[in-house]
PDB file of all heavy atoms in Angstrom:
ATOM      1  N   LEU A 471       1.997   1.205   0.829  1.00 62.00           N
ATOM      2  CA  LEU A 471       2.903   2.338   0.872  1.00 62.00           C
ATOM      3  C   LEU A 471       3.545   2.547  -0.496  1.00 62.00           C
ATOM      4  O   LEU A 471       3.693   3.678  -0.965  1.00 62.00           O
ATOM      5  CB  LEU A 471       3.988   2.101   1.951  1.00 62.00           C
ATOM      6  CG  LEU A 471       5.006   3.227   2.130  1.00 62.00           C
ATOM      7  CD1 LEU A 471       4.303   4.525   2.555  1.00 62.00           C
ATOM      8  CD2 LEU A 471       6.053   2.819   3.173  1.00 62.00           C
ATOM      9  N   PHE A 472       3.946   1.416  -1.093  1.00 58.00           N
ATOM     10  CA  PHE A 472       4.548   1.492  -2.415  1.00 58.00           C
ATOM     11  C   PHE A 472       3.576   2.115  -3.432  1.00 58.00           C
ATOM     12  O   PHE A 472       3.954   2.993  -4.215  1.00 58.00           O
ATOM     13  CB  PHE A 472       4.965   0.081  -2.868  1.00 58.00           C
ATOM     14  CG  PHE A 472       5.460   0.032  -4.292  1.00 58.00           C
ATOM     15  CD1 PHE A 472       6.740   0.508  -4.615  1.00 58.00           C
ATOM     16  CD2 PHE A 472       4.663  -0.450  -5.316  1.00 58.00           C
ATOM     17  CE1 PHE A 472       7.189   0.482  -5.919  1.00 58.00           C
ATOM     18  CE2 PHE A 472       5.113  -0.475  -6.607  1.00 58.00           C
ATOM     19  CZ  PHE A 472       6.407  -0.011  -6.921  1.00 58.00           C
ATOM     20  N   LEU A 473       2.349   1.709  -3.417  1.00 52.00           N
ATOM     21  CA  LEU A 473       1.355   2.244  -4.344  1.00 52.00           C
ATOM     22  C   LEU A 473       1.102   3.717  -4.094  1.00 52.00           C
ATOM     23  O   LEU A 473       0.933   4.510  -5.034  1.00 52.00           O
ATOM     24  CB  LEU A 473       0.023   1.468  -4.221  1.00 52.00           C
ATOM     25  CG  LEU A 473       0.029   0.030  -4.765  1.00 52.00           C
ATOM     26  CD1 LEU A 473      -1.311  -0.650  -4.471  1.00 52.00           C
ATOM     27  CD2 LEU A 473       0.326   0.011  -6.257  1.00 52.00           C
ATOM     28  N   ALA A 474       1.121   4.111  -2.804  1.00 56.00           N
ATOM     29  CA  ALA A 474       0.914   5.523  -2.486  1.00 56.00           C
ATOM     30  C   ALA A 474       2.063   6.363  -3.018  1.00 56.00           C
ATOM     31  O   ALA A 474       1.860   7.445  -3.565  1.00 56.00           O
ATOM     32  CB  ALA A 474       0.785   5.704  -0.966  1.00 56.00           C
ATOM     33  N   MET A 475       3.334   5.859  -2.847  1.00 61.00           N
ATOM     34  CA  MET A 475       4.496   6.600  -3.329  1.00 61.00           C
ATOM     35  C   MET A 475       4.478   6.685  -4.854  1.00 61.00           C
ATOM     36  O   MET A 475       4.770   7.722  -5.437  1.00 61.00           O
ATOM     37  CB  MET A 475       5.808   5.921  -2.860  1.00 61.00           C
ATOM     38  CG  MET A 475       6.007   5.988  -1.344  1.00 61.00           C
ATOM     39  SD  MET A 475       7.470   5.076  -0.821  1.00 61.00           S
ATOM     40  CE  MET A 475       8.757   5.947  -1.708  1.00 61.00           C
ATOM     41  N   VAL A 476       4.121   5.601  -5.508  1.00 54.00           N
ATOM     42  CA  VAL A 476       4.095   5.598  -6.970  1.00 54.00           C
ATOM     43  C   VAL A 476       3.026   6.562  -7.493  1.00 54.00           C
ATOM     44  O   VAL A 476       3.224   7.311  -8.437  1.00 54.00           O
ATOM     45  CB  VAL A 476       3.853   4.183  -7.501  1.00 54.00           C
ATOM     46  CG1 VAL A 476       3.595   4.203  -9.010  1.00 54.00           C
ATOM     47  CG2 VAL A 476       5.052   3.308  -7.191  1.00 54.00           C
ATOM     48  N   ASN A 477       1.868   6.562  -6.838  1.00 54.00           N
ATOM     49  CA  ASN A 477       0.756   7.406  -7.304  1.00 54.00           C
ATOM     50  C   ASN A 477       1.059   8.896  -7.128  1.00 54.00           C
ATOM     51  O   ASN A 477       0.550   9.731  -7.859  1.00 54.00           O
ATOM     52  CB  ASN A 477      -0.542   7.051  -6.555  1.00 54.00           C
ATOM     53  CG  ASN A 477      -1.152   5.739  -7.096  1.00 54.00           C
ATOM     54  OD1 ASN A 477      -1.037   5.446  -8.277  1.00 54.00           O
ATOM     55  ND2 ASN A 477      -1.755   4.966  -6.214  1.00 54.00           N
ATOM     56  N   ILE A 478       1.938   9.183  -6.104  1.00 59.00           N
ATOM     57  CA  ILE A 478       2.275  10.587  -5.903  1.00 59.00           C
ATOM     58  C   ILE A 478       3.081  11.111  -7.081  1.00 59.00           C
ATOM     59  O   ILE A 478       2.895  12.235  -7.554  1.00 59.00           O
ATOM     60  CB  ILE A 478       3.056  10.766  -4.587  1.00 59.00           C
ATOM     61  CG1 ILE A 478       2.109  10.504  -3.417  1.00 59.00           C
ATOM     62  CG2 ILE A 478       3.660  12.158  -4.480  1.00 59.00           C
ATOM     63  CD1 ILE A 478       2.836  10.515  -2.063  1.00 59.00           C
ATOM     64  N   ARG A 479       3.988  10.277  -7.593  1.00 59.00           N
ATOM     65  CA  ARG A 479       4.859  10.703  -8.685  1.00 59.00           C
ATOM     66  C   ARG A 479       4.259  10.447 -10.080  1.00 59.00           C
ATOM     67  O   ARG A 479       4.667  11.082 -11.045  1.00 59.00           O
ATOM     68  CB  ARG A 479       6.202   9.962  -8.576  1.00 59.00           C
ATOM     69  CG  ARG A 479       6.953  10.319  -7.299  1.00 59.00           C
ATOM     70  CD  ARG A 479       8.282   9.610  -7.273  1.00 59.00           C
ATOM     71  NE  ARG A 479       9.057   9.973  -6.075  1.00 59.00           N
ATOM     72  CZ  ARG A 479      10.292   9.516  -5.797  1.00 59.00           C
ATOM     73  NH1 ARG A 479      10.854   8.684  -6.665  1.00 59.00           N
ATOM     74  NH2 ARG A 479      10.906   9.885  -4.694  1.00 59.00           N
ATOM     75  N   ALA A 480       3.322   9.488 -10.179  1.00 53.00           N
ATOM     76  CA  ALA A 480       2.775   9.134 -11.507  1.00 53.00           C
ATOM     77  C   ALA A 480       1.766  10.187 -11.981  1.00 53.00           C
ATOM     78  O   ALA A 480       1.092  10.811 -11.165  1.00 53.00           O
ATOM     79  CB  ALA A 480       2.100   7.773 -11.434  1.00 53.00           C
ATOM     80  N   PRO A 481       1.739  10.427 -13.286  1.00 56.00           N
ATOM     81  CA  PRO A 481       0.764  11.403 -13.818  1.00 56.00           C
ATOM     82  C   PRO A 481      -0.693  10.922 -13.710  1.00 56.00           C
ATOM     83  O   PRO A 481      -1.620  11.671 -13.889  1.00 56.00           O
ATOM     84  CB  PRO A 481       1.189  11.569 -15.270  1.00 56.00           C
ATOM     85  CG  PRO A 481       1.849  10.277 -15.624  1.00 56.00           C
ATOM     86  CD  PRO A 481       2.554   9.822 -14.366  1.00 56.00           C
ATOM     87  N   TYR A 482      -0.924   9.636 -13.492  1.00 51.00           N
ATOM     88  CA  TYR A 482      -2.279   9.100 -13.307  1.00 51.00           C
ATOM     89  C   TYR A 482      -2.234   8.053 -12.222  1.00 51.00           C
ATOM     90  O   TYR A 482      -1.187   7.525 -11.885  1.00 51.00           O
ATOM     91  CB  TYR A 482      -2.808   8.491 -14.618  1.00 51.00           C
ATOM     92  CG  TYR A 482      -1.894   7.426 -15.212  1.00 51.00           C
ATOM     93  CD1 TYR A 482      -2.035   6.087 -14.834  1.00 51.00           C
ATOM     94  CD2 TYR A 482      -0.900   7.760 -16.126  1.00 51.00           C
ATOM     95  CE1 TYR A 482      -1.194   5.132 -15.372  1.00 51.00           C
ATOM     96  CE2 TYR A 482      -0.063   6.813 -16.657  1.00 51.00           C
ATOM     97  CZ  TYR A 482      -0.215   5.490 -16.287  1.00 51.00           C
ATOM     98  OH  TYR A 482       0.620   4.542 -16.787  1.00 51.00           O
ATOM     99  N   ARG A 483      -3.388   7.754 -11.717  1.00 52.00           N
ATOM    100  CA  ARG A 483      -3.488   6.842 -10.572  1.00 52.00           C
ATOM    101  C   ARG A 483      -3.294   5.406 -11.032  1.00 52.00           C
ATOM    102  O   ARG A 483      -3.885   4.966 -12.002  1.00 52.00           O
ATOM    103  CB  ARG A 483      -4.846   6.992  -9.899  1.00 52.00           C
ATOM    104  CG  ARG A 483      -4.980   6.107  -8.653  1.00 52.00           C
ATOM    105  CD  ARG A 483      -6.332   6.320  -8.009  1.00 52.00           C
ATOM    106  NE  ARG A 483      -6.484   5.479  -6.847  1.00 52.00           N
ATOM    107  CZ  ARG A 483      -7.577   5.391  -6.099  1.00 52.00           C
ATOM    108  NH1 ARG A 483      -8.634   6.150  -6.427  1.00 52.00           N
ATOM    109  NH2 ARG A 483      -7.638   4.604  -5.056  1.00 52.00           N
ATOM    110  N   ILE A 484      -2.449   4.672 -10.286  1.00 50.00           N
ATOM    111  CA  ILE A 484      -2.221   3.251 -10.538  1.00 50.00           C
ATOM    112  C   ILE A 484      -2.978   2.457  -9.485  1.00 50.00           C
ATOM    113  O   ILE A 484      -2.699   2.592  -8.284  1.00 50.00           O
ATOM    114  CB  ILE A 484      -0.705   2.915 -10.497  1.00 50.00           C
ATOM    115  CG1 ILE A 484       0.016   3.727 -11.592  1.00 50.00           C
ATOM    116  CG2 ILE A 484      -0.504   1.420 -10.705  1.00 50.00           C
ATOM    117  CD1 ILE A 484       1.534   3.539 -11.550  1.00 50.00           C
ATOM    118  N   ASP A 485      -3.983   1.659  -9.934  1.00 56.00           N
ATOM    119  CA  ASP A 485      -4.810   0.896  -8.986  1.00 56.00           C
ATOM    120  C   ASP A 485      -5.107  -0.470  -9.592  1.00 56.00           C
ATOM    121  O   ASP A 485      -6.166  -0.715 -10.168  1.00 56.00           O
ATOM    122  CB  ASP A 485      -6.118   1.650  -8.720  1.00 56.00           C
ATOM    123  CG  ASP A 485      -6.933   0.989  -7.615  1.00 56.00           C
ATOM    124  OD1 ASP A 485      -6.451   0.007  -7.018  1.00 56.00           O
ATOM    125  OD2 ASP A 485      -8.101   1.437  -7.387  1.00 56.00           O
ATOM    126  N   PRO A 486      -4.169  -1.414  -9.506  1.00 57.00           N
ATOM    127  CA  PRO A 486      -4.377  -2.749 -10.102  1.00 57.00           C
ATOM    128  C   PRO A 486      -5.542  -3.496  -9.463  1.00 57.00           C
ATOM    129  O   PRO A 486      -6.261  -4.242 -10.121  1.00 57.00           O
ATOM    130  CB  PRO A 486      -3.049  -3.457  -9.878  1.00 57.00           C
ATOM    131  CG  PRO A 486      -2.434  -2.739  -8.719  1.00 57.00           C
ATOM    132  CD  PRO A 486      -2.868  -1.309  -8.829  1.00 57.00           C
ATOM    133  N   VAL A 487      -5.751  -3.284  -8.151  1.00 54.00           N
ATOM    134  CA  VAL A 487      -6.870  -3.976  -7.487  1.00 54.00           C
ATOM    135  C   VAL A 487      -8.198  -3.460  -8.019  1.00 54.00           C
ATOM    136  O   VAL A 487      -9.132  -4.206  -8.282  1.00 54.00           O
ATOM    137  CB  VAL A 487      -6.780  -3.789  -5.959  1.00 54.00           C
ATOM    138  CG1 VAL A 487      -7.988  -4.421  -5.283  1.00 54.00           C
ATOM    139  CG2 VAL A 487      -5.492  -4.388  -5.437  1.00 54.00           C
ATOM    140  N   GLY A 488      -8.258  -2.125  -8.215  1.00 53.00           N
ATOM    141  CA  GLY A 488      -9.502  -1.545  -8.760  1.00 53.00           C
ATOM    142  C   GLY A 488      -9.780  -2.034 -10.161  1.00 53.00           C
ATOM    143  O   GLY A 488     -10.930  -2.304 -10.525  1.00 53.00           O
ATOM    144  N   VAL A 489      -8.678  -2.133 -10.957  1.00 55.00           N
ATOM    145  CA  VAL A 489      -8.850  -2.636 -12.320  1.00 55.00           C
ATOM    146  C   VAL A 489      -9.341  -4.067 -12.307  1.00 55.00           C
ATOM    147  O   VAL A 489     -10.231  -4.470 -13.067  1.00 55.00           O
ATOM    148  CB  VAL A 489      -7.521  -2.532 -13.088  1.00 55.00           C
ATOM    149  CG1 VAL A 489      -7.656  -3.208 -14.455  1.00 55.00           C
ATOM    150  CG2 VAL A 489      -7.116  -1.090 -13.259  1.00 55.00           C
ATOM    151  N   LEU A 490      -8.759  -4.843 -11.361  1.00 61.00           N
ATOM    152  CA  LEU A 490      -9.183  -6.238 -11.244  1.00 61.00           C
ATOM    153  C   LEU A 490     -10.647  -6.333 -10.821  1.00 61.00           C
ATOM    154  O   LEU A 490     -11.413  -7.112 -11.384  1.00 61.00           O
ATOM    155  CB  LEU A 490      -8.292  -6.964 -10.236  1.00 61.00           C
ATOM    156  CG  LEU A 490      -8.624  -8.443  -9.992  1.00 61.00           C
ATOM    157  CD1 LEU A 490      -8.480  -9.239 -11.294  1.00 61.00           C
ATOM    158  CD2 LEU A 490      -7.699  -9.017  -8.908  1.00 61.00           C
TER     159      LEU A 490
END
Side-chain angles (χ1 to χ4, degrees):
L471 181 61
F472 174 76
L473 289 175
M475 293 175 61
V476 171
N477 283 327
I478 291 174
R479 296 182 178 181
Y482 55 89
R483 183 179 179 183
I484 299 175
D485 187 4
V487 176
V489 173
L490 179 61

